[in-house]
Amino acid sequence: MIVAALAFYLFSIVAIIAALNVIFQKNPVHSVLWLILTFFNAAGLFVLLGAEFVAMILVVVYVGAVAVLFLFVVMMLDINITMMREGFIKYLPVGALVGGILFVELAIVFGSWAMSPQSEALRSAPVPEGISNTEALGNILYTQYFYLFQGAGIVLLVAMVGSIVLTLRRRPGVRKQDISVQNNRRVQDTLEVVKVPVGKGLAS
Amino acid sequence: MTALPALSLVLPEVLLTVGAMALLMIGVFKKKDSTSLLTGLAVLLMVAAGASLVLDPPAAGTAFGGLFVVNEFTSFAKLMTLLGAGIALVMINSWAHTEGIARFELPIVVVFATLGMLMMISANDFIALYVGLELQSLSLYVLAAFHRNNLRATEAGVKYFVLGALASGLLLYGSSLVYGFGGTTSFAGLATAMASAEAGNVGVIIGIVFVIAGLAFKVSAVPFHMWTPDVYEGAPTPITAFFSVAPKIAALSLFLSVLMGPFAPMVAEWRQVIVLIAALSMAWGAIAAINQRNIKRLMAYSSIGHVGYALVGLAAASTEGARGVMFYLFIYLFMNLGTFACILAMRVKGRAVEAIDDLSGMSKSNPGIAMALAILMFSMAGIPPMAGFLAKFYVFMAAVNANLVPLAVFGLLASAVGAFYYLRLIKIMYFDAPRDAFDKPDFSTRMVMAASASLMIVYFIVPADLVSEAASAAQALTGR
């Protein structure tokens, strides 16, 4: 158990430090890199909870796709840091006020938090006996929630069709590589051997 | 093979899904512009889906483990949605060709939006509700911005998207609170949990209020209407016509089935909210429309007002009220489609115009269109002998019978104010100096105009069939 506890504290502390660094880094590229570290540690926490499928999805989707996409976008955008820092002092009082109110509200909520007695029993996720949780998820996703799964699939299809409709522009006159045309070209089509008589040139 | 009976319940949805994907394939692989062909096929799909509901009405029941419900209420609502979408699709096609934005994805996105609406209507679970709602909304955002080289259309799309996403967030937050209360997202389970709940559980009431807010956003009821005028004005006209009928019918049916299904035991709590937004919608729809100069903006406020009247029936929270809402929606469907057909006909020398002043003296230059529009406007104002009067009559009667007399009186006053701007349109058409004549509209537009104007009179004279249909739908909803 001591190993699990140590791993928990390790992952949590690194995750918190990395998350703070996401906010406090001056360079947005560094922020994204810290974000990736946060995701990895959150995945570690999920493994400790016994939710290895969610952990792997977190790494594959968030680190593998989303964070890399972020990185690309951040690198392509020309963000001027000094411009963004302008007016920091000006907005500080308002920001501090809003943040302070939120903090007080959170404190009130947690101060009066009452746990329902039944919730303790429900806390541990019901994992069926004898199968991994990936299998358990698959079992309900393709049976009980089949309709929703298909519905979500169609939502994604519409998202794809929609983004293509709204952004794809066909520009005429763009040269593209067409391999079959290239391969079908023969010497006779492109080259012509011309005998040039001496002293007369090609002009006539 | 126990799965097959359940699939027969979802036949319309399966038709639309498989059909839309097939259309997508045809569109991608066909070299020529195939918008007209695909529109024809899409309309056929909707006709087929509607026919499957009419000719072989599915037995009431649930499918997919209780996520999906079918009964007379859902069939009636689906039929109205399919009618609205199909007719709008025909108008979209002819318009897209004249405006030069005909692309084959247009009918396909409309079909997917319609599919989302059918899924909303049949939702029997909060997750199913959300998936359907999101499918519908996402398609509608794309449609609003479809004319992507037009600045106002893209603005409409972005506005609709941002505010729609906010509404979805509200709805999800509300349903998570309701889930936290009931421990289930299924409507049947929630109804049981609510019935046995002690009165005044704050968490679930806040949840219901958020769900109502999210749904009110989708039907554009005041105070969640801000997006409506801008989106209606910016979106291409026939797409506005589509927006103003099919999604409203689907979202209002969803409103009915959520509030009168799982939340029925909490009627005392949610009724005050509905009364408030119904009253505000009726008032704002009447007052804000007075100063409008653009006919599409005017129609936006008019639709806000109509949603208010329909919500009066919901506030009654009775079978009679639900019947009133279903009748109202049916009349509203044809009233709006007809009016938008008239707006589509507003073309001077090939250029679309949409200012109210352009209607000036239309009775001389285009007597047919003026006649149709006048009938529709009388119906919108709720003046007999038009079906719009009966529609208002049924919802107000339901409200009176549910002891909501102040709301009914308020609605009458609001409709008197609203009558002002509807009648002003008629005055402009019939008594002002004529301007440039409009071009002759194409066949389908004229058909829609003529058919909806005549339905307004037909359903005033012989409403019995429609009323009994609406009544049996309402009975299926409330179980009484």
Side-chain angles (χ1 to χ4, degrees):
Chain A
M1 280 325 277
I2 187 90
V3 180
L6 277 179
F8 171 75
Y9 285 115
L10 177 72
F11 286 137
S12 317
I13 291 169
V14 177
I16 290 171
I17 293 172
L20 285 175
N21 268 307
V22 174
I23 311 172
F24 288 119
Q25 284 300 316
K26 282 205 167 62
N27 188 334
V29 177
H30 293 178
S31 282
V32 175
L33 293 175
W34 281 106
L35 189 65
I36 293 174
L37 185 60
T38 317
F39 284 144
F40 266 115
N41 283 283
L45 289 174
F46 274 122
V47 171
L48 288 182
L49 280 175
E52 63 271 6
F53 181 71
V54 183
M56 292 309 130
I57 286 294
L58 195 71
V59 171
V60 171
V61 175
Y62 278 85
V63 178
V66 176
V68 173
L69 199 70
F70 269 173
L71 208 54
F72 269 120
V73 173
V74 165
M75 279 154 84
M76 297 212 182
L77 288 179
D78 184 22
I79 302 171
N80 192 335
I81 311 284
T82 48
M83 287 266 285
M84 281 176 60
R85 295 285 150 124
E86 250 173 43
F88 180 74
I89 298 296
K90 202 171 80 186
Y91 296 119
L92 187 64
V94 183
L97 185 70
V98 173
I101 293 172
L102 267 178
F103 188 75
V104 171
E105 281 177 347
L106 277 178
I108 292 172
V109 166
F110 281 105
S112 61
W113 192 273
M115 277 294 211
S116 129
Q118 296 101 310
S119 64
E120 194 68 19
L122 291 171
R123 197 185 55 168
S124 53
V127 180
E129 286 290 315
I131 54 174
S132 71
N133 62 37
T134 312
E135 215 175 334
L137 271 175
N139 275 348
I140 58 165
L141 212 53
Y142 290 98
T143 55
Q144 197 180 345
Y145 294 127
F146 170 77
Y147 172 63
L148 305 174
F149 192 64
Q150 293 294 319
I154 296 170
V155 172
L156 291 179
L157 175 65
V158 169
M160 194 175 77
V161 171
S163 51
I164 291 174
V165 166
L166 294 182
T167 54
L168 180 71
R169 283 165 204 274
R170 284 208 182 79
R171 263 171 288 168
V174 178
R175 286 168 179 270
K176 283 192 199 145
Q177 186 177 25
D178 190 338
I179 291 170
S180 68
V181 170
Q182 286 179 354
N183 284 347
N184 285 334
R185 263 159 83 111
R186 291 166 308 166
V187 180
Q188 296 95 296
D189 300 339
T190 47
L191 275 184
E192 193 183 350
V193 180
V194 182
K195 278 247 181 324
V196 184
V198 178
K200 289 200 173 156
L202 262 180
S204 55
Chain B
M1 294 300 280
T2 50
L4 278 177
L7 274 185
S8 75
L9 293 179
V10 289
L11 187 58
E13 285 79 7
V14 171
L15 268 173
L16 289 191
T17 318
V18 176
M21 289 191 236
L23 293 190
L24 201 55
M25 287 297 113
I26 298 176
V28 170
F29 285 110
K30 220 165 136 54
K31 285 279 180 286
K32 286 206 319 279
D33 173 47
S34 49
T35 315
S36 296
L37 170 74
L38 291 190
T39 305
L41 291 176
V43 172
L44 248 149
L45 274 179
M46 291 185 187
V47 170
S52 78
L53 285 170
V54 174
L55 300 179
D56 181 25
T62 59
F64 297 120
L67 293 170
F68 188 92
V69 66
V70 172
N71 54 35
E72 273 184 77
F73 173 75
T74 64
S75 298
F76 189 71
K78 279 181 193 176
L79 215 50
M80 285 198 287
T81 310
L82 286 168
L83 260 174
I87 295 173
L89 201 49
V90 175
M91 300 202 287
I92 288 174
N93 183 44
S94 69
W95 178 86
H97 281 284
T98 42
E99 293 287 316
I101 60 154
R103 301 183 57 187
F104 76 88
E105 291 95 342
L106 191 51
I108 294 166
V109 178
V110 173
V111 173
F112 276 126
T114 314
L115 173 68
M117 292 166 204
L118 300 197
M119 286 168 68
M120 277 159 71
I121 292 169
S122 270
N124 198 28
D125 183 290
F126 267 108
I127 307 178
L129 181 163
Y130 181 68
V131 170
L133 193 71
E134 227 23 43
L135 178 56
Q136 177 242 30
S137 308
L138 210 58
S139 316
L140 295 188
Y141 307 147
V142 175
L143 285 177
F146 207 89
H147 198 173
R148 61 184 190 187
N149 294 327
N150 181 324
L151 199 61
R152 284 196 307 171
T154 40
E155 184 196 331
V158 171
K159 259 187 190 156
Y160 198 12
F161 173 67
V162 172
L163 292 174
L166 178 68
S168 298
L170 290 179
L171 186 91
L172 276 183
Y173 184 52
S175 19
S176 73
L177 283 175
V178 171
Y179 171 71
F181 166 78
T184 171
T185 53
S186 118
F187 284 3
L190 279 173
T192 326
M194 301 255 171
S196 58
E198 70 267 39
N201 183 319
V202 181
V204 72
I205 291 175
I206 294 177
I208 292 176
V209 170
F210 270 106
V211 169
I212 291 177
L215 289 176
F217 227 110
K218 301 289 175 190
V219 298
S220 72
V222 180
F224 306 102
H225 64 286
M226 303 77 81
W227 57 271
T228 325
D230 292 334
V231 172
Y232 277 33
E233 189 190 357
T237 309
I239 290 177
T240 309
F242 178 62
F243 281 0
S244 74
V245 289
K248 294 239 162 152
I249 290 170
L252 271 167
S253 314
L254 183 67
F255 228 137
L256 281 179
S257 58
V258 170
L259 289 188
M260 298 179 73
F263 293 164
M266 292 278 199
V267 61
E269 276 82 13
W270 60 253
R271 178 181 271 163
Q272 34 190 334
V273 183
I274 296 296
V275 166
L276 182 73
I277 60 176
L280 286 177
S281 304
M282 290 188 294
W284 190 245
I287 294 166
I290 291 174
N291 262 330
Q292 298 306 324
R293 293 279 164 269
N294 180 301
I295 192 150
K296 279 158 81 184
R297 281 188 92 83
L298 181 98
M299 287 306 292
Y301 283 107
S302 149
S303 84
I304 292 172
H306 283 297
V307 166
Y309 298 118
L311 287 177
V312 170
L314 174 59
S318 57
T319 312
E320 197 191 356
R323 184 192 69 173
V325 176
M326 292 327 269
F327 187 84
Y328 202 105
L329 287 179
F330 192 88
I331 299 300
Y332 171 80
L333 164 68
F334 281 103
M335 233 156 43
N336 249 34
L337 281 178
T339 311
F340 270 101
C342 296
I343 297 175
L344 279 176
M346 291 169 64
R347 283 184 168 275
V348 180
K349 300 189 183 72
R351 196 174 53 84
V353 293
E354 42 192 57
I356 288 174
D357 292 336
D358 289 317
L359 291 170
S360 179
M362 212 166 85
S363 60
K364 314 270 189 324
S365 49
N366 303 72
I369 305 176
M371 180 77 182
L373 193 53
I375 292 176
L376 292 163
M377 284 300 134
F378 273 123
S379 185
M380 290 248 186
I383 294 168
M386 303 299 159
F389 166 73
L390 280 185
K392 285 203 171 68
F393 175 76
Y394 284 122
V395 287
F396 288 150
M397 273 314 285
V400 168
N401 288 341
N403 291 325
L404 292 172
V405 180
L407 181 65
V409 172
F410 189 83
L412 284 176
L413 290 178
S415 69
V417 176
F420 167 75
Y421 63 83
Y422 294 126
L423 296 182
R424 193 178 58 135
L425 278 187
I426 299 177
K427 175 238 159 199
I428 290 174
M429 286 191 300
Y430 277 85
F431 300 110
D432 283 8
R435 288 210 184 171
D436 298 339
F438 294 144
D439 305 342
K440 192 170 184 272
D442 63 2
F443 177 72
S444 57
T445 314
R446 274 181 289 151
M447 279 303 294
V448 176
M449 250 186 266
S452 22
S454 39
L455 277 181
M456 287 306 112
I457 299 171
V458 168
Y459 277 120
F460 183 76
I461 300 167
V462 279
D465 281 347
L466 183 58
V467 172
S468 67
E469 279 296 319
S472 55
Q475 254 162 13
L477 176 71
T478 57
R480 263 170 281 152

